[in-house]
Amino acid sequence: MAKAPVIAVVGSSSMDLTCYAEVLPQAGQTLYGNLFTTGFGGKGANQAVMAALAGANVYMVGSIGNDLFGTSLQENFKNQNVNSEYVKISSLPTGVAHIWVDSQGQNRILIVPGANHDFDENHAAQAIKLIPDLAIVIGQCEVPQSVTAAAFAVAKERGALTILNPAPYQELSSDLLAVTDWLIPNEIEFEEFVGSAPTALTLAQFRNGNQSIVTLGDKGAVLVSPQGDLTNISTNKVQAIDTTGAGDCFIGSFSYALGSGSDPENAAQFACRIASISVTRKGAQSSYPSAAEISTLS
Ligand code: RIB
């Protein structure tokens, strides 16, 4: 049996506080919702848990608070087989995300980073230096970019691949881009990065010389080769009830497949398949297929 790829995620861990409602309120309006849930989230933790469910050997590098949410997140890492020895315990509160989901499954999210912004370049770089047999390091934009850049720089020195999901979008530093192998935005992040929507032309000109994927929600994804060749990846048509964490699901499963030796096209197909399952269920991590379920997919 092939050895599980070792993946480190440098990123956020948060508690998701989610309200579901038919219609979301406008400013100054009060409406009834129909369900409230607390769930495990944070883009980094979601990607880590998804990669572990798919079969990777995963290390989380980040920071959580010394509070009830932090204790639950630690417990969750243990239950999901994610190594949390490089998750710092901060004096700041654990990060939270306030999420509203409407009847179309679309969400609006407000994040309060708390402890997610309380770990530094040295902590991340040291962790990446020490993790044995490292194949891939994943980052996003819910922790300071300088921390991700420091981790990626060490990863590159070690010969590991780096994958950046620029979410939530912010202008990316040249330091971070210089050490990013794969850039994987969604279509909104692509538009913010490039200044225009994804079309055959804008996609073909995206980061020439580098590998990228642009995820397109229910339209699948497009793989952009270093030469600007485009490969469309289709996805199953499903009835979406909650898209929270679907992008993270894609990143975690893509990274696992790539680290296991799949070519990028097959890895992206696998990731689209898993992400299309996640949108049919509520929540972020709670919507991801289990390891047993993944093993039944042909
Ligand atoms: O990508 C989804 C995640 O974004 C949620 O789990 C929430 O924590 C926010 O960070």
Side-chain angles (χ1 to χ4, degrees):
M1 207 165 88
K3 226 173 139 211
V6 178
I7 296 179
V9 179
V10 178
S12 58
S13 310
S14 300
M15 192 58 90
D16 287 353
L17 312 174
T18 306
C19 287
Y20 295 86
E22 280 303 306
V23 177
L24 301 180
Q26 305 290 319
Q29 190 181 29
T30 303
L31 294 175
Y32 280 97
N34 47 37
L35 178 70
F36 170 76
T37 61
T38 54
F40 298 112
K43 294 181 193 302
N46 294 346
Q47 294 167 8
V49 165
M50 186 59 242
L53 288 167
N57 180 0
V58 182
Y59 289 73
M60 183 74 201
V61 181
S63 172
I64 57 176
N66 185 16
D67 50 25
L68 283 176
F69 285 164
T71 307
S72 302
L73 295 180
Q74 277 282 19
E75 194 63 21
N76 181 53
F77 284 134
K78 204 188 293 163
N79 293 338
Q80 300 291 352
N81 292 320
V82 172
N83 183 311
S84 62
E85 69 187 279
Y86 300 111
V87 176
K88 170 185 165 180
I89 307 295
S90 162
S91 57
L92 295 181
T94 297
V96 291
H98 271 214
I99 304 177
W100 287 357
V101 182
D102 68 18
S103 56
Q104 307 303 306
Q106 297 299 326
N107 61 49
R108 288 165 192 220
I109 305 180
L110 199 55
I111 52 175
V112 181
N116 286 314
H117 280 194
D118 188 32
F119 71 115
D120 62 15
E121 293 78 2
N122 193 39
H123 173 92
Q126 270 302 106
I128 298 303
K129 214 173 271 174
L130 294 173
I131 294 169
D133 303 321
L134 188 63
I136 293 180
V137 179
I138 306 174
Q140 333 70 35
C141 294
E142 287 186 339
V143 302
Q145 281 189 36
S146 56
V147 172
T148 310
F152 278 15
V154 178
K156 302 273 299 167
E157 276 164 29
R158 293 191 57 186
L161 268 183
T162 57
I163 297 179
L164 181 66
N165 172 222
Y169 185 75
Q170 48 187 246
E171 199 174 323
L172 299 174
S173 74
S174 51
D175 285 354
L176 179 54
L177 282 170
V179 284
T180 297
D181 293 317
W182 283 86
L183 187 66
I184 310 187
N186 67 17
E187 53 196 316
I188 296 165
E189 292 142 10
F190 175 92
E191 191 162 347
E192 286 176 291
F193 187 88
V194 168
S196 51
T199 62
L201 185 66
T202 57
L203 284 163
Q205 292 170 342
F206 188 52
R207 283 191 90 223
N208 282 162
N210 295 285
Q211 306 253 34
S212 307
I213 296 177
V214 181
T215 58
L216 303 170
D218 61 3
K219 297 187 288 304
V222 185
L223 201 61
V224 186
S225 81
Q227 297 74 32
D229 300 320
L230 307 183
T231 308
N232 290 308
I233 311 291
S234 60
T235 189
N236 295 338
K237 290 283 165 251
V238 294
Q239 179 71 41
I241 62 157
D242 183 356
T243 57
T244 309
D248 304 326
C249 181
F250 181 96
I251 299 284
S253 22
F254 174 76
S255 303
Y256 159 76
L258 197 67
S260 301
S262 289
D263 64 44
E265 186 174 341
N266 280 321
Q269 274 162 358
F270 173 72
C272 277
R273 180 116 191 250
I274 304 281
S276 75
I277 295 173
S278 78
V279 300
T280 64
R281 301 170 185 170
K282 287 191 163 79
Q285 292 174 35
S286 55
S287 70
Y288 297 168
S290 65
E293 191 177 354
I294 293 168
S295 70
T296 65
L297 302 174
S298 54

